[in-house]
Amino acid sequence: MTATTAKEQSIASSIQLRAVTKAFGSVQVLKNIDLDVASGKVVVLIGASGSGKSTVLRIMSGLETADSGEVVVGDVPMHDPKRAPEIRGHVGMVFQQFNLFPHLNALGNVTLALRKSLKMSKAEAREVGLRCLERVGMQDRCANYPSQLSGGQQQRVAIARALAVNPRIMFFDEATSALDPELVGEVTSVMRSLAADGMTMVVVTHEMGFAHRTADRVVFMDDGVIAEQGSPEQVLKDPQHPRTQQFLARVLEA
Amino acid sequence: MLYQWRSVLEYLPDFLRAMGLTLWITLLAFALALVCGLGAALARNSKNAVLRLGAGAYVEIVRNTPVLLQIFVVFFALPSFGLRMDAVTAGTVAIGVNVGGYLCEVFRAGISSVARAQREAAQVLGLSSRQAFISVIAPQALRNVYPATVNNLIQVLLGTSLLTAIAVPELTGVATVINARTLLFVQVFAIALVLYLVLSNALSFASGLLGRVLFKPPLEQVRPGLWPVRRARTITTTAEVAA
Ligand SMILES: Nc1ncnc2c1ncn2[C@@H]1O[C@H](COP(=O)(O)OP(=O)(O)O)[C@@H](O)[C@H]1O
Ligand SMILES: [Mg+2]
């Protein structure tokens, strides 16, 4: 399903950021960010806490608006306030805290947007929803409420929920950071299988193993700028920028 | 001693009729309070400044003046403006409008207690803000405010005793009348007390059952305690946890 979709939409699932800036009050959080993600590619964003990684994802998914610069996601110019809302329902976002809807069971979480936004019939939504849950290995738990699932299971349901609307691009914001170490693998393996199917992905993570094995490109952010980027091999094994070296030393130590 | 109880128990039918009226006024006033509270909460969050100011004034006035005075205003003062109501109606309206002011703030807190993250998750999924409110925010807010709302229902019940002041034949009023007639105040007020306890425990038990049906996954049962103090404490702690 996703493989053909990705091919069909190969033109429309790339991302371009040009000279993007963003301030919160007097704090300049993003200073002149340029970033390109070609369709079907996996870009991993790394960097210290507070360096602006989440803000980049939130701008690309329409949750924040850039102060200046150009942001094109798929074929939607996000810097145009009139057109930015078009992105809704066309990208998927996976949050650190899962953000599942606690009053709906797993299937209800996955089908809500299908019913409300895509106006599917109940039966159709159920079929698509179950297929998405199966994709993340959660079809057996479709009747469970989020509070009845482990963190890893909740995050897999959250991924299924994002996949249900058939997005062109997926954003992951520290999707495994809130998980117990033994639960990280079940989530990263779902993410790897998405990447293998050709989904365009921008992933903020501290899992260097995932970055190394799955990323097409690793981007290191430092204090609102992109300090260094390149292949995982280059950036993770042979970093040039001193800040990258410091950051990696600290992460690998932990 | 036994004969004193016997002579008071002769009034049992009067007590029970008064208890029925108390329950009836409680339910009607609470229904009115729900409508006022929800309307005011939506108005206070609205984009329209007139609605916002009007609802704000309503909540401030109602919460910063004595309930008894509000009852007197509705019963004695409104007739001068051509709004004449019998004592039961006036009392029901006054208490409903009063508690509505408190419920407004409860509902507003409930809506804002639903994390922004929930709204954002719905937005990225493609839900409009209206759809997000109806399908994501409101059900969670309702669940969060349920214990506090039940607490207000009990407040309405206890508040109806103030209607004695405008001669509504509810439980407290009838008890004072029987007391004046028999002068057996220990027996008379003991019976009234027990009947209030029966009513309040029945109401919170019924609300607990309703909560179990209404919410998935089920709301933790608020156990009806024999003593209102203990129950009030249970309800507030649940409300704090929910908030
Ligand atoms: N809504 C906001 N209001 C004010 N400051 C914010 C807001 N969101 C993020 N920030 C600030 O912006 C900076 C970058 O945040 P963020 O993009 O979340 O970084 P990262 O994800 O790399 O940790 C931080 O200093 C953070 O405190
Ligand atoms: Mg972050």
Side-chain angles (χ1 to χ4, degrees):
Chain A
M1 178 182 92
T2 315
T4 54
T5 316
K7 213 183 299 163
E8 280 164 17
Q9 299 177 340
S10 57
I11 309 147
S13 62
S14 59
I15 302 169
Q16 295 96 38
L17 273 63
R18 289 285 169 272
V20 169
T21 69
K22 176 75 182 173
F24 289 111
S26 60
V27 186
Q28 195 66 38
V29 174
L30 299 182
K31 311 161 185 164
N32 206 28
I33 298 282
D34 287 296
L35 183 68
D36 286 275
V37 182
S39 54
K41 297 293 182 192
V42 178
V43 168
V44 166
L45 273 182
I46 59 173
S49 167
S51 57
K53 308 179 296 293
S54 296
T55 306
V56 170
L57 288 194
R58 292 170 58 81
I59 286 174
M60 294 192 295
S61 59
L63 292 175
E64 303 279 1
T65 317
D67 293 339
S68 67
E70 273 180 30
V71 179
V72 181
V73 178
D75 41 24
V76 181
M78 304 289 292
H79 47 272
D80 178 352
K82 276 205 210 68
R83 296 201 53 196
E86 291 173 22
I87 203 65
R88 296 183 181 186
H90 295 291
V91 296
M93 179 91 160
V94 178
F95 303 89
Q96 179 174 355
Q97 299 299 335
F98 328 134
N99 298 355
L100 287 177
F101 305 132
H103 61 298
L104 299 176
N105 65 18
L107 186 63
N109 266 275
V110 176
T111 54
L112 182 67
L114 300 177
R115 302 269 291 132
K116 299 289 163 193
S117 166
L118 301 182
K119 311 285 182 209
M120 281 188 193
S121 72
K122 205 169 174 181
E124 197 183 354
R126 187 184 160 83
E127 192 191 317
V128 175
L130 284 174
R131 206 173 336 126
C132 292
L133 285 171
E134 191 177 355
R135 182 95 204 273
V136 301
M138 287 296 294
Q139 71 279 25
D140 297 339
R141 297 303 199 99
C142 65
N144 284 69
Y145 286 89
S147 59
Q148 302 165 329
L149 298 172
S150 74
Q153 291 172 330
Q154 288 186 60
Q155 195 60 296
R156 286 189 282 152
V157 172
I159 294 173
R161 176 178 73 175
L163 288 175
V165 294
N166 203 6
R168 307 158 182 189
I169 301 166
M170 288 279 285
F171 302 119
F172 295 83
D173 193 356
E174 305 204 29
T176 58
S177 295
L179 299 179
D180 293 334
E182 72 270 20
L183 301 179
V184 168
E186 63 187 79
V187 173
T188 49
S189 80
V190 169
M191 290 164 66
R192 264 201 299 276
S193 87
L194 283 181
D197 283 347
M199 177 71 78
T200 307
M201 292 167 47
V202 181
V203 181
V204 173
T205 185
H206 295 295
E207 294 296 319
M208 291 306 147
F210 176 85
H212 204 265
R213 287 169 62 185
T214 318
D216 294 296
R217 189 148 44 94
V218 174
V219 173
F220 173 71
M221 282 190 65
D222 181 48
D223 198 19
V225 299
I226 292 177
E228 183 165 1
Q229 58 177 313
S231 71
E233 205 58 38
Q234 281 169 345
V235 177
L236 300 178
K237 289 283 176 290
D238 186 24
Q240 301 301 307
H241 199 286
R243 299 284 293 180
T244 321
Q245 293 162 0
Q246 278 169 22
F247 173 77
L248 289 172
R250 237 180 312 129
V251 170
L252 297 176
E253 215 171 273
Chain B
M1 189 67 196
L2 200 64
Y3 117 89
Q4 293 178 331
W5 279 102
R6 270 233 315 271
S7 54
V8 171
L9 283 177
E10 277 172 21
Y11 289 95
L12 195 60
D14 296 304
F15 274 115
L16 292 181
R17 208 171 313 121
M19 186 180 170
L21 183 61
T22 292
L23 180 63
W24 177 238
I25 293 175
T26 300
L27 295 179
L28 283 185
F30 186 66
L32 178 62
L34 285 177
V35 172
C36 291
L38 193 61
L42 293 177
R44 285 200 90 172
N45 285 350
S46 109
K47 287 197 191 81
N48 184 325
V50 176
L51 282 179
R52 238 176 16 241
L53 282 175
Y58 158 57
V59 171
E60 288 309 312
I61 291 170
V62 143
R63 298 203 317 165
N64 290 293
T65 56
V67 196
L68 190 56
L69 188 69
Q70 295 169 21
I71 293 170
F72 287 156
V73 166
V74 174
F75 188 56
F76 294 118
L78 286 190
S80 334
F81 300 93
L83 213 61
R84 198 171 301 278
M85 289 176 266
D86 62 72
V88 171
T89 313
T92 307
V93 167
I95 292 181
V97 167
N98 172 267
V99 173
Y102 289 89
L103 279 181
C104 166
E105 296 306 279
V106 169
F107 292 160
R108 260 163 33 101
I111 291 169
S112 62
S113 74
V114 179
R116 191 179 68 161
Q118 290 284 311
R119 227 175 286 248
E120 292 183 347
Q123 182 185 326
V124 178
L125 283 169
L127 271 66
S128 68
S129 43
R130 192 191 157 81
Q131 288 171 331
F133 183 80
I134 293 171
S135 308
V136 175
I137 311 296
Q140 294 182 59
L142 189 64
R143 188 194 167 98
N144 290 349
V145 302
Y146 191 74
T149 306
V150 172
N151 214 359
N152 273 285
L153 170 62
I154 306 298
Q155 290 307 318
V156 171
L157 169 68
L158 304 183
T160 58
S161 77
L162 290 171
L163 300 184
T164 304
I166 54 170
V168 172
E170 46 66 59
L171 193 44
T172 303
V174 165
T176 55
V177 169
I178 296 172
N179 180 52
R181 217 170 283 166
T182 62
L183 296 178
L184 296 169
F185 45 85
V186 172
Q187 288 77 1
V188 167
F189 290 121
I191 289 175
L193 212 83
V194 166
L195 293 181
Y196 272 114
L197 281 174
V198 167
L199 277 179
S200 67
N201 278 278
L203 283 178
S204 59
F205 183 72
S207 313
L209 286 184
L210 182 65
R212 302 202 125 194
V213 179
L214 225 50
F215 302 110
K216 304 268 185 278
L219 207 62
E220 204 178 303
Q221 179 110 33
V222 180
R223 202 172 303 156
L226 183 58
W227 301 106
V229 177
R230 202 178 80 198
R231 194 212 23 256
R233 212 170 41 221
T234 334
I235 290 175
T236 38
T237 41
T238 326
E240 279 155 15
V241 169

